[in-house]
Amino acid sequence: MTPDKVLRASPNTLGDLEQGCADARRLITDGALDAARSRLDELRKIHGDDHAAMQESFSVLAEAHGDFAVALAHHKRFHALAIAGGVSSPLASRDQLLARLVERQEQQAPDMTWCLVALAAARAPAGALPHMLRQQCRSQDVLALGQGEAMLMLLHDVDLPTGRKVCERFRAVWMQQQPTAGPLSMGLTAWRGPGDTGSGLLGRAEHALARSQREGAPFRTG
């Protein structure tokens, strides 16, 4: 098992922390504030306090309780930790990304424009690929953990030609930051209109990535 896969699959790692914080945020949204507090306290015991995603979640919880002074204190700490760590937001899971697509599809938006990129790098140092993608993504984009060692990035309001340009930028930045890690394998697909589905979009991107990996990391479109 590679170090990158260990980072994402093992308990008590950054991936476990981010998933736990996402769980806490859902509990807060559902109004289950005591359950959210218990979840965050459990994560704090395991991981300590010096994590931006946890501080952000504590800030949201305090605000939900109406304790705005505490919320602001946590938010200031979250902001400082996020800047120090280069973290823009927690990583979504593959299922969370798919749920986002299904939600938008159910809204029946005929003008919906998405591109989905699936990426992997066989010799990437642990955490290097998500860090690079966080630097490149916008606030409206969704960055998620894919299958195995892959990453997924959902690009909002981006058509296929623009998506290709974004992928070219990813490849160039990756080679600058990780010149010894080898090229990125990438698969790209775009939303095909009202008849398309979230699972179809995800499947095409992952199949294109698999082709890229088999063929030595050329860029592939699904």
Side-chain angles (χ1 to χ4, degrees):
M1 183 176 285
T2 66
D4 205 24
K5 188 175 290 185
V6 170
L7 175 71
R8 295 174 189 165
S10 298
N12 303 344
T13 64
L14 183 61
D16 175 66
L17 169 64
E18 291 178 328
Q19 183 61 55
C21 288
D23 292 341
R25 294 291 290 273
R26 285 195 295 273
L27 290 169
I28 295 167
T29 301
D30 293 341
L33 303 185
D34 289 341
R37 164 66 72 178
S38 296
R39 185 74 178 104
L40 289 171
D41 284 343
E42 175 187 342
L43 292 170
R44 173 185 266 167
K45 290 176 183 177
I46 296 170
H47 298 282
D49 286 327
D50 293 330
H51 294 283
M54 188 185 304
Q55 294 300 325
E56 182 185 25
S57 298
F58 271 120
S59 178
V60 174
L61 179 63
E63 184 177 353
H65 275 294
D67 195 338
F68 299 108
V70 171
L72 181 60
H74 279 296
H75 183 75
K76 286 180 177 178
R77 190 169 185 195
F78 151 72
H79 185 65
L81 289 169
I83 291 174
V87 176
S88 59
S89 62
L91 299 178
S93 68
R94 185 178 183 275
D95 289 342
Q96 288 169 332
L97 184 147
L98 183 56
R100 172 81 171 269
L101 283 168
V102 170
E103 179 184 356
R104 286 300 306 275
Q105 181 187 355
E106 290 174 347
Q107 294 173 359
Q108 298 180 344
D111 59 342
M112 185 167 70
T113 305
W114 293 100
C115 271
L116 182 61
V117 189
L119 312 96
R123 301 196 303 274
L129 185 54
H131 179 71
M132 185 275 283
L133 293 175
R134 276 170 162 152
Q135 292 176 325
Q136 299 299 314
C137 73
R138 305 164 301 169
S139 60
Q140 64 265 45
D141 298 329
V142 180
L143 183 59
L145 297 171
Q147 294 179 326
E149 299 173 51
M151 297 295 301
L152 300 166
M153 182 176 284
L154 187 62
L155 305 172
H156 175 67
D157 199 24
V158 171
D159 59 12
L160 193 60
T162 305
R164 290 192 182 101
K165 294 178 181 177
V166 172
C167 288
E168 290 171 4
R169 186 177 80 239
F170 289 163
R171 193 183 290 273
V173 172
W174 180 252
M175 292 305 294
Q176 290 173 358
Q177 293 186 358
Q178 302 291 335
T180 63
L184 284 177
S185 298
M186 286 190 288
L188 171 71
T189 193
W191 186 256
R192 294 178 176 174
D196 206 353
T197 64
S199 58
L201 185 78
L202 188 54
R204 292 196 305 273
E206 291 179 333
H207 288 154
L209 173 62
R211 287 175 53 209
S212 176
Q213 290 173 312
R214 287 194 304 268
E215 297 168 8
F219 175 71
R220 291 290 178 242
T221 302

